[in-house]
Amino acid sequence: MNQIARMDGFKPTLKSNAHLSLLWLEITRTCNWNCLHCYSESGPHVPLRDQVSDYRWLALVAEAAELGCKAVQFIGGEPTAHPLLPDLIHRARREGIDDIEVYTNASRLSTPVLSAMSSCGASAKVSFYSANADTHDRIVAKRGAFDRAVNGLRTLVDHKIPLSCGIVTMPENEQTTDETIAFLRTLGVNDVSVDRVRGVGRGLNAVPVETDVEALCGACWQGRLSISSNGTATPCIMSRSFAVGSVLKSSLREILGSNELHASREQIRNAHETTLGDCNPNCGPTRCNPAVNCNPQNCNPMQNCGPAKCNPANK
């Protein structure tokens, strides 16, 4: 990595900006839900496959492992809709990636997916919005979604798959967060994070106008990288306006060594430190520790960190 930094003119003090600690792979934008706030504008009418081939997705997992990445999250859309997901989970485990997580709505967990997750020690992060079925279904624009999500959560608990939930608050559900957390605990989900809607994708319809940087939690300069379904690389899943390359044209190594990624990470880092405050996503009820990095076991891609605040409810 030091050679890459020197070739592209990186300052030695910023060489950590060229590393990869967490990779998001947005393997599809199709989804059986049509959430009001979806950052990727996914939905049931989006094609299952975009521009990245199955072969390339598998190769990206191997490339990430070769670069020392120890955490990968498969996301969408709804990643369980993609038939390649079990193979990707197995590939990540074979390549020695320690933290494997599937970000899902838990409404369509298949036997192959559950088997792969169980055998490979993968965890699940589940989107959930309200203990009230009508409210939940209204947010995801799908009648019956609440019951399917609850059944999915119970299935994950029964399979002893490590599990956490992420609640995104908006006018429809912001007054019932505590009730929803309590309900999730009755299902056996004790790890729950809470975030606000971000002004990205359809989330723009639900929040006041904010800049591209203000929509971010501020941590995506710290060795993270996201690959969208069309192959575009960005610092994180929310930083969709910061395109830094394409895996259709470049390797992960080339993207990590690019001036484009370096510049984007520095822009986000500087804004995070000077404007948004030094708020770290890894917060618990009795602490906020800016020195602790998150990983797929405790990291919601939509962290509850914003301008000069750290929400103690985010775990």
Side-chain angles (χ1 to χ4, degrees):
M1 286 299 170
N2 290 339
Q3 278 188 325
I4 294 174
R6 286 195 294 269
M7 281 169 30
D8 284 343
F10 290 165
K11 299 176 184 179
T13 56
L14 298 178
K15 62 184 179 180
S16 62
N17 271 14
H19 82 288
L20 181 62
S21 59
L22 169 61
L23 179 66
W24 286 284
L25 295 180
E26 183 186 285
I27 60 176
T28 183
R29 282 182 55 238
T30 193
C31 184
N32 53 327
W33 292 358
N34 201 31
C35 298
L36 302 178
H37 61 288
C38 182
Y39 77 96
S40 65
E41 301 184 88
S42 299
H45 304 299
V46 179
L48 176 66
R49 286 178 169 84
D50 201 342
Q51 298 181 46
V52 182
S53 68
D54 289 2
Y55 175 83
R56 187 71 184 107
W57 284 127
L58 291 165
L60 286 170
V61 173
E63 287 179 34
E66 184 179 351
L67 291 166
C69 182
K70 293 299 182 181
V72 63
Q73 186 183 80
F74 299 109
I75 194 166
E78 176 48 46
T80 62
H82 202 302
L84 187 67
L85 180 60
D87 293 330
L88 287 167
I89 293 170
H90 283 292
R91 170 62 66 90
R93 175 56 63 218
R94 286 197 304 271
E95 295 290 344
I97 294 178
D98 297 328
D99 296 319
I100 306 167
E101 185 169 73
V102 177
Y103 201 102
T104 175
N105 61 35
S107 69
R108 49 171 303 155
L109 299 168
S110 67
T111 297
V113 167
L114 291 168
S115 177
M117 294 182 71
S118 294
S119 63
C120 295
S123 61
K125 184 80 174 186
V126 177
S127 302
F128 198 85
Y129 300 101
S130 177
N132 180 280
D134 289 339
T135 300
H136 186 282
D137 290 357
R138 185 164 63 254
I139 290 172
V140 305
K142 180 73 172 180
R143 182 172 297 180
F146 174 85
D147 290 337
R148 295 189 64 177
V150 169
N151 288 336
L153 288 170
R154 287 173 173 152
T155 297
L156 290 166
V157 171
D158 290 344
H159 281 73
K160 295 181 172 55
I161 292 173
L163 172 63
S164 59
C165 278
I167 303 171
V168 177
T169 60
M170 58 199 80
E172 289 81 359
N173 68 346
E174 61 188 359
Q175 301 301 319
T176 59
T177 301
D178 290 343
E179 177 187 348
T180 302
I181 292 173
F183 173 73
L184 288 169
R185 286 176 177 160
T186 68
L187 300 177
V189 184
N190 295 313
D191 187 352
V192 182
S193 59
V194 181
D195 189 25
R196 65 176 178 88
V197 172
R198 301 284 170 179
V200 181
R202 289 198 291 268
L204 285 168
N205 300 321
V207 297
V209 175
E210 56 186 358
T211 67
D212 293 336
V213 171
E214 288 172 341
L216 306 177
C217 78
C220 51
W221 64 270
Q222 299 174 348
R224 293 151 172 77
L225 193 69
S226 175
I227 309 300
S228 71
S229 62
N230 66 8
T232 300
T234 58
C236 80
I237 62 167
M238 290 292 176
S239 57
R240 302 176 85 79
S241 61
F242 293 85
V244 297
S246 171
V247 297
L248 303 181
K249 301 177 180 179
S250 306
S251 66
L252 285 183
R253 184 180 296 276
E254 290 170 328
I255 292 170
L256 286 173
S258 70
N259 286 324
E260 290 81 5
L261 178 60
H262 170 71
S264 292
R265 283 180 169 177
E266 282 306 292
Q267 180 182 350
I268 293 167
R269 176 186 183 180
N270 291 338
H272 170 61
E273 291 180 345
T274 62
T275 304
L276 303 184
D278 192 16
C279 175
N280 187 273
N282 192 20
C283 305
T286 60
R287 73 188 188 286
C288 181
N289 184 357
V292 180
N293 290 323
C294 62
N295 59 57
Q297 300 301 326
N298 60 14
C299 177
N300 181 346
M302 299 165 286
Q303 301 291 352
N304 196 26
C305 289
K309 74 177 190 298
C310 187
N311 184 348
N314 190 35
K315 185 176 181 182

